[in-house]
Amino acid sequence: MSNKSFSSWYQSGSPWVWLNAGAVSISLVMVVGLLLLIAVRGLGHFWPADVMSITYNDPDKESTTLIAEAVETEVVSATRLKKVGVHLPEGQVTGERHLLKVGNRDYFGLDFLWINGVWMGETSYPKDVIAIERREWGNFYGYLTTVKQQGEAVATGDMAWDELQKRLERSNNLVAEIKSIEKNEIGKINHGLEELRLQKRQHELDGLPEGSLAYHEIEQERKQWNVLYQGLQKQLADLYAALNRDQIMVTISDGREVEIPLAKVVDVYRPNAMNVFQKLGFYFEEVWKFVSGEPREANTEGGIFPAIFGTVMMVMIMAVLVTPFGVIAAVYLKEYATQGPMIRLIRIAVNNLAGVPSIVYGVFGLGFFVYFLGGSIDEIFFQAKLPSPTFGAPGMMWASLTLAILTVPVVIVATEEGLSRIPRAIREGSLALGATKAETLWRTVLPMTAPAMMTGLILAVARAAGEVAPLMMVGVVKLAPALAVDNIAPYLHLDRQFMHLGFHIYDVGFQSPNVEAARPLVYATAFLLVMIIIILNMSAISIRNRLRETSKASEN
């Protein structure tokens, strides 16, 4: 290419077009690659990996047999191996070490174990080895020997597996029934007794004398609740007795035979005996349990449904709160306020608010919403509950309001830009036909600005769904005992604390006592959070596109 041709090509701007296109392409590849990495490392955790039986010949100890899942393999230098007492053959500069999930933490003291490849002996994949998912202490690996009922053997050998499956289904059904009674029926009774206590306390504050008819009615109702409670306690005692009926005997890798109550078992499977289709079915079942279940073992086991529910509900409440405030502020600034230095100063302040660190909003929410506003509400409406706070404590409502304040500048700016794009002739035509300014705004301008409003809402949702720092101060907790929605009136409890996917990622990733077990759940939860944000944004984008098409049709 001649200098003249190159100069002409350079001055045409084509290099910058290609540079921008390349930068966008690289960014897209990096984002997609990151999502794929998170998805593979997170969702791969639920695949039923084969369980190995390994002979391990540690020269400092006796030869042992390990039953474990292979988790990770890394290549390390000979110098590093030498520091831990591993000597490679002469001339070999690197060696392998393997991370195994050995489970049985209550017997071995740890879930995961690093072993050196040079000391590994014979490796096999026995068909009869079982993996047990427990409610406590993580996974368990071994060989099933006996199924017991009340301490007496009912099945051994080949018959034990089929008998175990039947009794495990019965055990899980009993656990679900117990959980339903404790959470729903007894929850209603506790709520009813608490309401009676508050009624009695309110009568005392009102100066109602002891022995009056109101106190007598409260006592009669309390007796009815106590009768119901005693009946449920007897039912629960029978269910627990039936639940504790069955046990299994399992031989672990060091030869010990241990007893495991079926009441502590969630699932049992034989991964080495499963074909691809069985593993695939098991995989989707485990993913569903992760999405729909509740957390266990300091959030390193079980599911994350409460966190999903809390995240989605908080974002929806925030969206309902931030949209009218943002739109009203934008309409006032653009349509009603006299443009001058004060309005320019307000716009600068709004733009600057978008750059304030989110933790500052958390401090504001805690001080203003929780302590001042919530405390005042408790003083006026919930005196009977004091000193226990109702709205004077972090909860769903204050978290949603805090995020609404955090994201309202985005909605204001987007709505103002949408209002600026409406031609002045449309406003003047509406006014010329006899419409008032308010009617012009409500029936003509705002419908045409709806796509811009939805754009602001999309940006607000995308930011709010991933915020964690302010939520730690105004409502989010490690483990919420109850959801904000249940079957107890008024059914929606905005004063309750809640779980959030972002905080769940932080807690599992940095506060977990079992780092290796928590790592894949961090990836899985992060991937799920990204998917939820994408779904919420796509829903809003779909609504925006429909509003845009409606606006175009009305213009035509």
Side-chain angles (χ1 to χ4, degrees), residues 148-161:
K148 290 184 174 182
Q149 178 176 318
Q150 301 291 4
E152 299 293 331
V154 294
T156 58
D158 295 336
M159 301 295 294
W161 175 254

Side-chain angles (χ1 to χ4, degrees), residues 31-101:
V31 170
V32 172
L34 178 61
L35 288 177
L36 287 176
L37 175 66
I38 295 174
V40 169
R41 294 199 173 184
L43 300 180
H45 168 70
F46 305 105
W47 184 261
D50 289 339
V51 178
M52 305 180 294
S53 177
I54 305 172
T55 302
Y56 190 55
N57 305 306
D58 189 336
D60 296 331
K61 302 176 183 178
E62 294 183 3
S63 178
T64 58
T65 300
L66 301 175
I67 300 175
E69 292 182 16
V71 177
E72 183 181 343
T73 299
E74 68 176 16
V75 178
V76 295
S77 65
T79 304
R80 186 177 173 187
L81 288 174
K82 188 176 181 180
K83 290 180 180 179
V84 294
V86 181
H87 298 278
L88 296 176
E90 187 176 351
Q92 187 173 336
V93 296
T94 59
E96 289 185 345
R97 69 172 191 161
H98 308 273
L99 178 63
L100 303 182
K101 185 177 181 179

Side-chain angles (χ1 to χ4, degrees), residues 334-356:
K334 186 65 180 177
E335 302 291 335
Y336 286 97
T338 302
Q339 304 302 312
M342 181 60 68
I343 296 302
R344 285 196 297 271
L345 184 63
I346 292 174
R347 284 199 175 94
I348 293 172
V350 168
N351 291 329
N352 288 338
L353 280 175
V356 173

Side-chain angles (χ1 to χ4, degrees), residues 32-312:
V32 172
L34 178 61
L35 288 177
L36 287 176
L37 175 66
I38 295 174
V40 169
R41 294 199 173 184
L43 300 180
H45 168 70
F46 305 105
W47 184 261
D50 289 339
V51 178
M52 305 180 294
S53 177
I54 305 172
T55 302
Y56 190 55
N57 305 306
D58 189 336
D60 296 331
K61 302 176 183 178
E62 294 183 3
S63 178
T64 58
T65 300
L66 301 175
I67 300 175
E69 292 182 16
V71 177
E72 183 181 343
T73 299
E74 68 176 16
V75 178
V76 295
S77 65
T79 304
R80 186 177 173 187
L81 288 174
K82 188 176 181 180
K83 290 180 180 179
V84 294
V86 181
H87 298 278
L88 296 176
E90 187 176 351
Q92 187 173 336
V93 296
T94 59
E96 289 185 345
R97 69 172 191 161
H98 308 273
L99 178 63
L100 303 182
K101 185 177 181 179
V102 296
N104 305 14
R105 187 167 78 244
D106 44 344
Y107 293 95
F108 297 155
L110 71 170
D111 268 335
F112 294 83
L113 176 68
W114 282 101
I115 65 172
N116 299 303
V118 293
W119 293 341
M120 288 177 59
E122 182 181 355
T123 302
S124 62
Y125 295 86
K127 297 290 185 182
D128 56 342
V129 68
I130 64 171
I132 304 175
E133 181 185 352
R134 298 184 291 178
R135 303 186 193 280
E136 297 176 349
W137 296 102
N139 280 13
F140 191 96
Y141 303 106
Y143 299 93
L144 177 65
T145 58
T146 309
V147 177
K148 290 184 174 182
Q149 178 176 318
Q150 301 291 4
E152 299 293 331
V154 294
T156 58
D158 295 336
M159 301 295 294
W161 175 254
D162 294 332
E163 188 66 25
L164 169 59
Q165 296 301 309
K166 292 187 293 185
R167 291 174 182 264
L168 180 60
E169 182 179 1
R170 169 187 173 276
S171 175
N172 284 333
N173 290 337
L174 288 172
V175 170
E177 188 175 354
I178 290 171
K179 184 178 178 181
S180 176
I181 292 175
E182 290 178 340
K183 186 174 182 179
N184 299 322
E185 304 301 327
I186 293 183
K188 285 183 179 180
I189 293 175
N190 291 335
H191 178 75
L193 291 173
E194 178 65 12
E195 288 296 316
L196 293 178
R197 186 189 72 81
L198 294 177
Q199 289 179 24
K200 184 177 179 180
R201 175 60 180 160
Q202 189 63 51
H203 292 334
E204 293 173 353
L205 292 174
D206 294 340
L208 200 65
E210 289 281 351
S212 62
L213 180 61
Y215 285 102
H216 179 71
E217 291 176 349
I218 289 174
E219 288 302 320
Q220 291 299 317
E221 192 172 348
R222 179 181 283 111
K223 290 179 180 179
Q224 294 176 5
W225 283 120
N226 286 332
V227 170
L228 288 175
Y229 180 75
Q230 291 171 4
L232 288 175
Q233 283 293 97
K234 184 179 183 304
Q235 185 180 352
L236 283 175
D238 295 338
L239 288 173
Y240 274 113
L243 178 64
N244 295 324
R245 186 193 71 176
D246 300 322
Q247 307 86 30
I248 57 174
M249 301 298 296
V250 183
T251 302
I252 59 179
S253 58
D254 61 5
R256 283 181 290 173
E257 191 174 33
V258 300
E259 182 179 277
I260 302 176
L262 277 188
K264 296 182 179 180
V265 175
V266 177
D267 200 3
V268 181
Y269 57 100
R270 294 189 293 190
N272 299 345
M274 298 167 69
N275 58 38
V276 175
F277 295 104
Q278 290 173 328
K279 287 190 174 185
L280 196 61
F282 182 88
Y283 173 78
F284 285 113
E285 182 182 345
E286 288 296 302
V287 171
W288 172 248
K289 286 197 296 186
F290 175 71
V291 173
S292 62
E294 295 183 355
R296 307 188 308 269
E297 288 286 291
N299 291 342
T300 59
E301 299 285 347
I304 56 170
F305 177 74
I308 297 173
F309 183 87
T311 302
V312 174

